[in-house]
Amino acid sequence: MTVASHRARYRHIAPVTTREELIYLLSRASELEHGLACVYLFAGYSLKSDVAEGGMTPEQAETVLAWKRKIARVAIEEMLHLAQVSNLLTAIGGAPHFKRANFPLPSTAFPFGIELTLDPISLPLLERLVCYEMPEAGILGAERQPEYDAMRERVGSAPHIADRKAARGTTEPFEIDFRTVGEFYHKIETGFRSIPEGQLFIGPPDAQARPRYLDLDGELVPVIDRASACAAIEMIVEQGEAPTTEHPDAHFYVFDSIRREYVALTEEARKTGVAFDPVRPVLSNPMTRFYDDTTGGAVISDPLAHEVADLFNTAYDTMLLMLLRFFAHENENEDELRLLARGTLRLMASVLRPLGEALAKLPAGPEFPGKTAGPGFGYNRDVHMLPHKESAWIFFIERLWELVSRTSALAASGQLPVELSEAAAALQSIVDHLVPLLPKRYADARPALPRVARGSAPSIACEPNGPYLVSNLTILTNSKAETLGTRPALALCRCGGSSLKPYCDGTHARNGFNSAKQPDRTPDRLDTYTGKGFTVFDNRGTCCHSGNCTDHLPGAFRAGQEPFVDPNGASKTEIISIVRACPSGALGYSDGDGIPYAGEAREPSLYVSQDGPYHVTGGVSLQDGERNAGASLEHYALCRCGHSKNKPFCDGSHWYAKFHDEDN
């Protein structure tokens, strides 16, 4: 869009002509994007994750899980917008701005006249989410606009600031002549178009966040001139307020489509009598304490939920401190910037998310019967720039170590949802990667990482729709003969989408991973084949189809033939050797005494196979994994591509899914 055409389209908006006003508006944009991200995340946490939570059919649960995934993606894009605004601020000599007021925020907090509160999903909330992302006047068209005008009235917002008489006064120091978020950004764009380019861009380009470190779908734009600044603003507006089906990922369309589906499913449930209750009974605006900048909210009183909520706020505050350091870095080298960005993103995806999900399941307290707590995104501490590199990094590690200790202790108690163990594993990983960058005198003083599971024996828990939570394992290797890093707590990817394979990075929450067994899986049936002096057992429903038996002893294990096993097709010694080497544990035998072979005495270990499953040996205890008849307890194969129909066990689907992991 040319300067002339931009002025013509937005002639009702007075151009920004000073750096001061532009920095102020960008700072307010940061507060808005930050607040919206929290509102959207809370709404997503309020949705149930699985049919096991009740109130939904399997088909309804699949739809609701898709809603969670879409809302999570929108929230991440709001963080992208926050990052992009930070780059715009840095480019013109401002500073990244991550401070915002605590929730709830009244409708007068922003010029658009819509309150920002933390509420569970409902039709009124969905309408409010749609109104947050409402396109500019004239874009929806004359036929559609009345529906959304009526919706805007139902949201019950305060009068628009632009409609108030100046005599009444506002908290805004500059003229307000915009009505939507899109117009707000186009107001900002006038500054980049009006102020002389040679005078405006005074910030050091190297101080901006770089896309190669902060991976937000690769869309973060470095701002170096007028053209890149305008491109960055158009990206934000396009992702948020684009109104048509040609932009199915735009925030307005995402929320509007969820709203329509919610209404349709609710009406269908009313007509058919089939329950549709997809929302957890989460408390609105939960808090751990009253803040001096809030006018409402409810304090969580249940002791365990309060402790987890305070952990969430501390982790959230730590993430913001690290993010602020990343955006306003000084003297950090390439490795430090990469690890700072990665640690920040992992806090967001693998610590805050599981803690938020856990809080949405925990009771809020006796004052709120039937209500669950939910995360409050509260500022328990001030968010400020830590200016000195060494002291900043030491502070981060001290804060993270506090979080590791507290979260690990809660996870080990066994009293809280399994998501606490996922968060503890992620925190241990973040600390483990950052500690080597500390000065040696501080790094050497760190105590050993704490256990997150009771007892010392290695074990694996399968988080529903989440990662494998591995405790106390010391041997982890891969197909490249590499020994991989272990900690008392590990979260291993099983959705196939992590960028840190074999470790989980939280992708399962965005790619729709479903950990349930599929009804069309190979049936659980134990077959028995009797030979001379021994018996072979086989369960095709357990097989991971590695081909070890059919490739190496085809006379006894006959691919595509019935019966599959011919116990007389090879020598007893050869057959038993193959059975013992079966990686899935589908094959077994008894040596004439009727007692099944229990497995070898091996040290507990986990092997990451090439483009295939995890091979577990040594009797590692597997929790929450319903085994088929005859399956070995000593060794088994766990799916890591996300496509098995017999989860958590591998069924060979990685071959058909063309699963590939070049790092392992």
Side-chain angles (χ1 to χ4, degrees):
M1 186 183 296
T2 65
V3 174
S5 61
H6 187 273
R7 287 176 177 168
R9 181 170 179 178
Y10 300 106
R11 60 172 59 92
H12 61 289
I13 295 178
V16 176
T17 58
T18 68
R19 187 188 314 277
E20 181 183 1
E21 182 177 5
L22 187 54
I23 288 176
Y24 172 78
L25 291 173
L26 285 167
S27 298
R28 292 289 280 156
S30 294
E31 294 173 19
L32 177 64
E33 299 291 2
H34 191 170
L36 288 176
C38 296
V39 169
Y40 298 162
L41 287 169
F42 187 93
Y45 297 150
S46 77
L47 289 170
K48 295 175 181 176
S49 296
D50 193 83
V51 69
E53 293 192 58
M56 299 182 293
T57 66
E59 294 75 20
Q60 291 170 344
E62 187 174 339
T63 299
V64 172
L65 189 61
W67 293 349
K68 284 180 76 79
R69 185 171 68 251
K70 291 175 181 178
I71 292 172
R73 185 172 64 243
V74 168
I76 288 171
E77 288 184 349
E78 293 297 339
M79 293 304 292
L80 166 63
H81 298 174
L82 176 59
Q84 191 63 74
V85 171
S86 296
N87 273 359
L88 288 163
L89 275 165
T90 300
I92 64 171
H97 182 75
F98 293 151
K99 182 66 176 175
R100 59 157 183 80
N102 279 294
F103 294 105
L105 278 70
S107 58
T108 53
F110 287 95
F112 320 107
I114 307 176
E115 62 182 1
L116 265 69
T117 61
L118 303 177
D119 290 301
I121 288 288
S122 64
L123 181 56
L125 176 70
L126 288 170
E127 290 191 340
R128 197 192 322 154
L129 302 188
V130 171
C131 288
Y132 288 148
E133 306 287 356
M134 191 73 74
E136 300 168 27
I139 290 182
L140 286 171
E143 292 184 358
R144 299 181 65 195
Q145 191 64 53
E147 176 188 357
Y148 296 96
D149 288 342
M151 188 186 303
R152 188 70 166 75
E153 289 296 321
R154 287 196 298 273
V155 164
S157 61
H160 191 278
I161 287 180
D163 296 333
R164 303 174 192 165
K165 293 182 179 179
R168 290 172 128 178
T170 75
T171 59
E172 298 290 335
F174 300 100
E175 182 180 1
I176 302 301
D177 49 9
F178 46 85
R179 294 175 175 272
T180 67
V181 175
E183 286 187 338
F184 175 42
Y185 273 107
H186 287 301
K187 172 83 172 181
I188 291 171
E189 189 176 359
T190 65
F192 286 99
R193 293 183 180 277
S194 301
I195 301 173
E197 189 173 20
Q199 300 174 18
L200 183 59
F201 296 94
I202 62 174
D206 288 344
Q208 294 183 37
R210 305 169 202 175
R212 68 177 180 272
Y213 297 131
L214 199 65
D215 182 16
L216 294 165
D217 294 329
E219 296 192 45
L220 189 62
V221 178
V223 179
I224 57 174
D225 54 19
R226 176 175 293 153
S228 56
C230 293
I233 291 169
E234 289 303 319
M235 179 271 289
I236 293 173
V237 175
E238 182 73 13
Q239 282 190 345
E241 289 79 43
T244 68
T245 54
E246 284 74 36
H247 301 84
D249 295 327
H251 303 176
F252 171 82
Y253 185 78
V254 167
F255 289 135
D256 203 33
S257 63
I258 292 175
R259 175 185 69 88
R260 293 178 184 277
E261 290 176 350
Y262 180 91
V263 169
L265 286 172
T266 301
E267 180 62 18
E268 181 182 0
R270 186 189 67 78
K271 290 179 178 178
T272 62
V274 176
F276 178 58
D277 183 19
V279 184
R280 295 161 176 161
V282 183
L283 197 65
S284 293
N285 301 308
M287 306 165 67
T288 55
R289 56 187 55 81
F290 285 110
Y291 308 107
D292 58 6
D293 61 347
T294 56
T295 57
V299 175
I300 299 166
S301 61
D302 179 84
L304 277 176
H306 191 281
E307 172 69 5
V308 177
D310 190 64
L311 275 173
F312 181 96
N313 289 344
T314 305
Y316 171 59
D317 176 88
T318 304
M319 181 201 74
L320 293 176
L321 287 173
M322 292 173 64
L323 196 61
L324 187 57
R325 179 73 198 180
F326 177 78
F327 275 98
H329 59 268
E330 184 179 357
N331 300 325
E332 269 84 0
N333 61 35
E334 297 294 305
D335 280 344
E336 289 168 336
L337 285 173
R338 177 177 57 82
L339 288 172
L340 194 58
R342 177 180 288 185
T344 302
L345 291 174
R346 290 205 70 190
L347 275 170
M348 189 188 311
S350 298
V351 178
L352 293 180
R353 179 194 48 75
L355 289 178
E357 293 283 351
L359 280 166
K361 301 175 185 178
L362 292 172
E367 303 94 321
F368 313 104
K371 292 289 187 180
T372 56
F377 294 93
Y379 279 100
N380 291 357
R381 304 164 172 88
D382 192 24
V383 177
H384 54 276
M385 175 64 185
L386 299 175
H388 307 297
K389 175 185 167 182
E390 182 175 294
S391 57
W393 280 74
I394 292 170
F395 184 91
F396 296 153
I397 293 294
E398 288 176 345
R399 180 72 72 78
L400 288 166
W401 203 269
E402 173 199 350
L403 287 165
V404 166
S405 300
R406 293 169 62 191
T407 308
S408 298
L410 284 170
S413 73
Q415 302 178 59
L416 293 164
V418 70
E419 286 89 351
L420 266 292
S421 295
E422 182 186 350
L427 284 165
Q428 289 197 6
S429 175
I430 295 167
V431 167
D432 211 23
H433 283 88
L434 294 184
V435 162
L437 298 178
L438 284 179
K440 192 172 188 302
R441 65 186 184 279
Y442 292 101
D444 290 347
R446 294 291 97 196
L449 290 168
R451 298 187 184 277
V452 298
R454 289 168 291 181
S456 59
S459 64
I460 300 175
C462 306
E463 181 180 331
N465 300 330
Y468 298 115
L469 303 173
V470 184
S471 302
N472 308 323
L473 186 74
T474 58
I475 302 176
L476 177 63
T477 58
N478 68 4
S479 61
K480 295 182 177 181
E482 297 169 332
T483 298
L484 306 180
T486 62
R487 291 172 289 277
L490 294 172
L492 298 184
C493 173
R494 65 166 172 155
C495 74
S498 173
S499 61
L500 302 174
K501 298 182 190 70
Y503 308 105
C504 169
D505 69 354
T507 298
H508 58 272
R510 304 190 300 274
N511 66 6
F513 173 66
N514 189 325
S515 62
K517 292 182 184 291
Q518 300 303 304
D520 60 340
R521 66 186 182 276
T522 302
D524 173 13
R525 189 188 73 194
L526 185 64
D527 295 320
T528 301
Y529 304 94
T530 302
K532 296 177 181 179
F534 72 106
T535 300
V536 176
F537 306 105
D538 173 60
N539 193 325
R540 293 291 82 200
T542 303
C543 182
C544 69
H545 300 282
S546 70
N548 182 69
C549 56
T550 54
D551 290 348
H552 293 96
L553 205 60
F557 300 94
R558 308 180 308 169
Q561 299 184 52
E562 290 293 339
F564 171 60
V565 178
D566 178 1
N568 300 313
S571 71
K572 174 182 175 181
T573 301
E574 290 174 313
I575 291 176
I576 288 178
S577 177
I578 288 292
V579 169
R580 288 186 173 187
C582 173
S584 66
L587 293 172
Y589 78 95
S590 64
D591 198 6
D593 54 9
I595 301 175
Y597 167 69
E600 302 175 39
R602 293 184 280 191
E603 196 167 0
S605 65
L606 189 149
Y607 170 73
V608 186
S609 67
Q610 182 179 1
D611 299 335
Y614 298 112
H615 292 300
V616 185
T617 56
V620 178
S621 171
L622 180 67
Q623 305 167 20
D624 315 312
E626 182 183 347
R627 298 176 191 260
N628 287 340
S632 171
L633 301 180
E634 191 276 338
H635 58 275
Y636 45 91
L638 296 176
C639 172
R640 73 181 184 104
C641 73
H643 292 276
S644 173
K645 296 181 178 181
N646 187 38
K647 299 183 188 76
F649 304 103
C650 172
D651 68 355
S653 292
H654 54 274
W655 175 263
Y656 303 100
K658 295 181 172 55
F659 175 67
H660 181 60
D661 174 13
E662 63 183 21
D663 293 330
N664 294 281

